[in-house]
């Protein structure tokens, strides 16, 4: 049994929804359908979620919202009408959108979440109605009824452990259940949304809850590429990735998923497949707990920019107990997360994301380190990119590092850092940002052709 | 003006002392002479320091010490007689050794240090007498008179900052001053020794104190080799090393100096030269603050065994603020120092020296990590060696990493870890202990021939 999640672009228009209906019809195993709000139909379009954000702003500013309500409703109406759904359903959706205007504005911490969640909620009702109109046994189910119980943290809800046994009870349900993504219900019955990428989380939660055989994530790409198509012409598509490989790639800019979205399915060891709504016969990219084969040592090459390196050197630093602890404590005091911390004998480099620093904060931080650590040398280097060569297959193959380093050396790309932990799922190279494209190209053509 | 330190093997016999006298005579700049206690004359011999340790043990056990006293005195007598020093001086040394037996044994925290320090102290008196007998203007000076003031930490004394201006006053002294190495005097007038390798520390302290142009460290090798002569046949001798290069090599088993011995001369930026008493015309190896030239990218290859790697992996670990802090805190609670901590996206490897773990401690540590961190994966790997490729010249040369990794790959040596911080003074590879020799050989022949 499968959980199928459809993203906003897959549900943006009646034409797109037709493809979704066909996908659901094609496989009776697709019994849990998670939907986003209607997305963009073309690049200049406005997503329903963004219309709802505007609605929220207008309500708070006490402006007349009626044109926005029309615009939002129109999106559902366009789709529903094409499928000749019951007028009563469309009327219900219209009323639900209008009902948002009478929510209490003051002292209502759930206002924003409730308005935004309506985008998915109304779409789930609509899609359920469409499936029914197409002769399928389908119905809308609310997160409350399904049991998606979350913490009371507006815009940042986390699933509660007691949710899973509640969701599990729906496993044997004979109908196709259409579930709105993006939000859950608190124990007090309030709506709280997940952080960005939230519909993916809902899919992963439902898949874990009902112990699905597969979590299908339908989007608008054929899968995950082994390198960025903007840099490499027609890069290979990855057939199968382990969760850890996916995560390493996601870290360095492969933004198919929000980082945290897959935790529930990862923990429940449920495989995920990324498929294209517009090309559903393509097998897509599977993300699995344990890969069946590792015929390729490298599955992908990713790169991310915007890193800064702080270099601290002190003679015999190595002998000072608690030295790193003190450095980390300083970072924590400045609320700075570090990414990596390669060390020599008497030096340590701290790599952080540059967006955590302002000019002023940087100056204060360096002053603090100079004062507390009294280093022999203290330097900061901006404008670094992090290139990651990813692949579980590396475990079994000596020499990937040598080949990678040689490829970068041939292009005269200087390495500020190399980091290869014992996992060997990835090797990371820190290089100047200006060399990003050259680095990805030389590495790609070293491991793929 | 130079500070010359002579090690135990350089002072082991009258024949060796003759070489030392010639060295001192050869250069009037050698005005501060630091001496160890007489060392081994041949491989089966016992060093005076080890005889003194036995003396201490006998005294504490209330056994008759007179044969040991004779044996110790005999060493000084043999040397002194050969140079026809004043009998009164030898008698004074004899009395000083006998005097050790009347030191208070109970509640005397300085007993061990006082007995051991006498080895150097008597030798300084003897060598001063010999130099005088050879017509040089020389005299013994005690650490107290010179101003080597130290903390009251038996066997682990640290120099006090106020010592340096006191020592500085002797800079213009016209005589050759002969100084016993290995110990200093506390503010209460007690003797405290430095930790092992202590005569080197005395030399470095005196060199810093008098602001010497050079600190000459006379030993029984021509200098520092670029790799271990037990593994590489006739390895190259290093002409010049920076302090940092020396330190990186020392870390991984190049045991010419005790790690901390050179801190005073490092801080005072005084160059050090390692020379051979048995081959004084050889230029030796210079250790300098800033190297004049970096014509060779790699100066040495070292390796040390006995490392253990703890691998912790947890999905999305990267997002947990303070994660590393918690891991380090656990290590601190177990009083374990870590050496390196390479990280992936969701994993971290902690490399420690294995001698910090017992089977029981290891089990407890892993249990604690499992409990506090709740990792997805927790593994421990013993029997690792750390190979270090060292050279300041790497800063200017791309590709050393690639060449190193390729050399190891050719020999099918697996890398558990690579660590290259931003300093680029060294690259570290963690490999199985069994591959140590093969790794050093392949790396040596890659960078030297």
């Amino acid at each position: 049994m499968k959980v199928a999640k459809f993203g906003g672009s897959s549900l943006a228009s009646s034409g797109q929804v037709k493809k979704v209906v066909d996908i659901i019809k094609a496989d009776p195993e697709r019994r849990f359908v998670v939907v986003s709000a209607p997305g963009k139909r073309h690049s200049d379009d406005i997503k329903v979620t963004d219309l709802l954000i505007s609605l929220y702003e207008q309500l708070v500013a006490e402006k007349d919202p009626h044109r926005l309500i029309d615009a939002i409703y129109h999106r559902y109406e366009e789709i529903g009408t094409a499928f000749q759904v019951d007028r009563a359903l469309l009327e219900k959706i219209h009323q639900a959108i209008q009902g948002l205007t009478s929510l209490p504005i003051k002292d209502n911490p759930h206002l924003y979440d409730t308005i935004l969640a309506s985008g998915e909620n109304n779409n789930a009702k609509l899609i359920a109605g469409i499936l029914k109109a197409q002769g399928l046994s389908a119905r809308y189910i609310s997160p409350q009824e399904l049991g998606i119980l979350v913490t009371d943290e507006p815009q940042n809800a986390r699933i509660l452990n007691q949710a899973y046994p509640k969701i599990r009870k729906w496993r044997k349900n004979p109908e196709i259940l259409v579930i709105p993504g993006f939000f859950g219900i608190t124990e007090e019955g309030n709506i709280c949304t997940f952080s960005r990428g939230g519909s993916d989380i809902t899919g992963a939660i439902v898949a874990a809850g009902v112990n699905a055989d597969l979590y299908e994530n339908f989007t608008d790409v054929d899968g995950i590429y082994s390198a960025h198509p903007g840099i490499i012409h027609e890069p290979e598509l990855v057939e199968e990735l382990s969760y850890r490989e996916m995560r390493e790639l996601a870290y360095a800019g492969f933004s198919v998923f929000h980082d945290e979205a897959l935790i529930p399915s990862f923990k429940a060891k449920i495989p995920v497949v990324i498929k294209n709504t517009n090309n559903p016969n393509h097998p897509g990219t599977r993300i699995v707990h344990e890969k069946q084969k590792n015929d390729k040592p490298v599955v992908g090459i990713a790169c991310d920019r915007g890193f800064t390196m702080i270099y601290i050197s002190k003679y015999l630093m190595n002998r000072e107990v608690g030295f790193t602890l003190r450095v980390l404590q300083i970072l924590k005091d400045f609320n700075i997360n570090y990414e990596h911390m390669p060390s020599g004998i008497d030096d340590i480099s701290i790599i952080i994301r540059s967006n955590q620093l302002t000019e002023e904060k940087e100056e204060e931080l360096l002053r603090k380190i100079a004062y507390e650590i009294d280093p022999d040398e203290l330097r900061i280097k901006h404008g670094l990119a992090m290139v990651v060569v990813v692949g579980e297959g590396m475990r079994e193959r000596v020499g990937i590092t040598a080949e990678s380093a040689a490829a970068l050396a041939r292009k005269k790309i200087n390495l500020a850092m190399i980091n290869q932990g014992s996992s060997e799922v990835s090797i990371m190279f820190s290089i100047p940002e200006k060399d990003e494209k050259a680095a990805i190209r030389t590495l790609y053509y070293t491991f793929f052709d």
Side-chain angles (χ1 to χ4, degrees), chain A:
Chain A
M1 171 257 301
K2 299 173 183 171
V3 171
K5 178 255 166 184
F6 295 92
S9 67
S10 302
L11 300 163
S13 64
S14 54
Q16 287 299 89
V17 172
K18 178 73 176 69
K19 296 174 189 169
V20 170
V21 170
D22 290 343
I23 289 167
I24 294 169
K25 278 185 178 169
D27 186 347
E29 291 294 304
R30 292 178 177 133
R31 292 229 322 278
F32 295 85
V33 174
V34 176
V35 301
S36 295
K40 288 183 182 191
R41 290 160 292 190
H42 46 82
S43 58
D44 298 334
D45 201 11
I46 304 171
K47 297 197 291 185
V48 165
T49 302
D50 288 336
L51 293 173
L52 288 164
I53 290 172
S54 300
L55 177 65
Y56 165 81
E57 286 162 355
Q58 293 212 348
L59 289 175
V60 171
E62 293 180 20
K63 287 184 183 162
D64 179 6
H66 91 265
R67 289 183 64 161
L68 264 176
I69 288 173
D70 285 354
I72 294 164
Y73 171 64
H74 179 74
R75 295 293 305 271
Y76 296 99
E77 190 187 31
E78 183 267 327
I79 298 167
T81 308
F83 288 93
Q84 295 167 307
V85 296
D86 210 336
R87 285 310 298 177
L89 171 59
L90 286 176
E91 194 41 46
K92 229 167 93 182
I93 289 171
H94 199 179
Q95 279 168 13
I97 299 166
Q98 280 172 322
L100 297 173
T101 62
S102 44
L103 288 168
I105 289 174
K106 286 211 174 123
D107 302 324
N108 181 0
H110 301 98
L111 177 65
Y112 185 83
D113 294 44
T114 306
I115 291 175
L116 257 68
S118 76
E120 275 73 11
N121 205 35
N122 287 326
N123 212 26
K125 290 176 182 167
L126 181 67
I127 300 297
I130 289 169
L131 293 177
K132 233 184 292 184
Q134 296 282 314
L136 291 166
S137 166
R139 79 164 174 101
Y140 159 83
I141 186 167
S142 72
Q144 180 145 36
E145 190 180 0
L146 189 70
I148 304 182
L149 278 176
V150 297
T151 57
D152 196 348
E153 297 173 274
Q155 287 129 74
N156 198 27
R158 281 171 300 126
I159 191 77
L160 292 170
N161 278 331
Q162 60 260 44
Y164 292 111
K166 289 186 195 293
I167 299 168
R168 177 63 62 97
K169 293 192 181 128
W170 295 94
R171 183 177 156 81
K172 302 267 181 213
N173 189 69
E175 304 151 297
I176 295 169
L177 293 176
V178 184
I179 305 148
F182 189 38
F183 71 98
I185 299 293
T186 69
E187 289 180 300
E188 289 75 36
N190 288 307
I191 287 174
C192 273
T193 60
F194 300 117
S195 58
R196 290 189 75 79
S199 286
D200 289 328
I201 299 193
T202 301
I205 288 168
V206 174
V210 301
N211 195 25
D213 300 311
L214 185 63
Y215 169 24
E216 296 180 309
N217 195 295
F218 283 91
T219 172
D220 51 8
V221 290
D222 280 341
I224 294 177
Y225 290 104
S226 49
H228 197 291
I231 297 173
I232 303 294
H233 180 64
E234 293 187 5
E236 281 185 26
L237 205 80
V238 186
E239 275 178 52
E240 192 178 59
L241 275 177
S242 72
Y243 272 101
R244 293 184 51 202
E245 289 172 336
M246 190 275 304
R247 169 91 175 108
E248 304 259 344
L249 289 171
Y251 170 81
F254 274 49
S255 52
V256 175
F257 282 108
H258 187 266
D259 279 349
E260 288 162 48
L262 291 190
I263 293 183
S265 51
F266 164 77
K267 286 192 174 162
K269 301 192 183 181
I270 291 168
V272 177
V273 63
I274 296 169
K275 285 180 74 83
N276 192 347
T277 301
N278 307 312
N279 187 16
N281 293 325
H282 191 289
T285 299
R286 282 173 69 87
I287 301 166
V288 296
H289 212 268
E290 296 274 350
K291 281 167 79 172
Q292 293 307 308
K293 48 177 187 172
N294 273 322
D295 48 349
K296 282 182 186 170
V298 174
V299 299
I301 292 149
C303 189
D304 204 8
R305 305 163 72 103
F307 291 91
T308 291
M309 181 187 268
I310 299 169
Y311 172 76
I312 306 172
S313 148
K314 183 172 184 173
Y315 195 66
L316 275 179
M317 163 197 288
N318 186 256
R319 290 295 156 100
E320 290 186 29
V321 180
F323 174 86
T324 320
L325 260 177
R326 260 156 57 214
V327 174
L328 288 181
Q329 195 57 56
I330 294 173
L331 291 178
K332 203 181 173 197
D333 294 345
F334 279 81
N335 204 18
I336 291 172
N337 281 323
Y338 85 93
E339 301 289 313
H340 299 285
M341 210 165 53
S343 55
I345 309 293
D346 288 330
D347 56 55
I348 196 168
S349 300
I350 301 154
I351 294 172
I352 61 175
R353 292 207 182 252
S354 311
N355 61 12
Q356 296 184 96
L357 290 178
T358 59
E359 215 169 298
E360 203 180 331
K361 197 170 172 185
E362 174 179 323
E363 207 176 282
E364 266 180 63
L365 175 68
L366 293 179
R367 208 182 303 128
K368 182 87 172 171
I369 293 173
Y371 178 76
E372 297 240 336
I373 309 290
D374 189 24
D376 296 331
E377 202 179 339
L378 177 61
R379 276 188 277 128
I380 190 160
K381 198 173 187 174
H382 299 281
L384 291 174
M386 202 78 80
V387 183
V388 191
V389 177
V390 178
E392 302 244 12
M394 285 192 226
R395 284 188 203 192
E396 285 122 46
R397 200 171 138 183
V398 184
I400 295 293
T401 304
E403 285 181 58
S404 302
L408 295 170
R410 275 197 302 277
K411 297 290 171 190
K412 305 263 181 268
I413 296 170
N414 237 316
L415 302 178
M417 180 207 85
I418 298 177
N419 210 349
Q420 181 198 310
S422 65
S423 81
E424 296 190 20
V425 174
S426 73
I427 310 166
M428 242 172 288
F429 301 94
S430 178
I431 59 167
E433 280 179 347
K434 67 173 175 52
D435 295 327
E436 181 187 18
K437 285 185 184 176
I440 290 187
R441 284 193 192 117
T442 189
L443 290 169
Y444 183 84
Y445 293 112
T446 299
F447 298 110
F448 299 89
D449 47 15

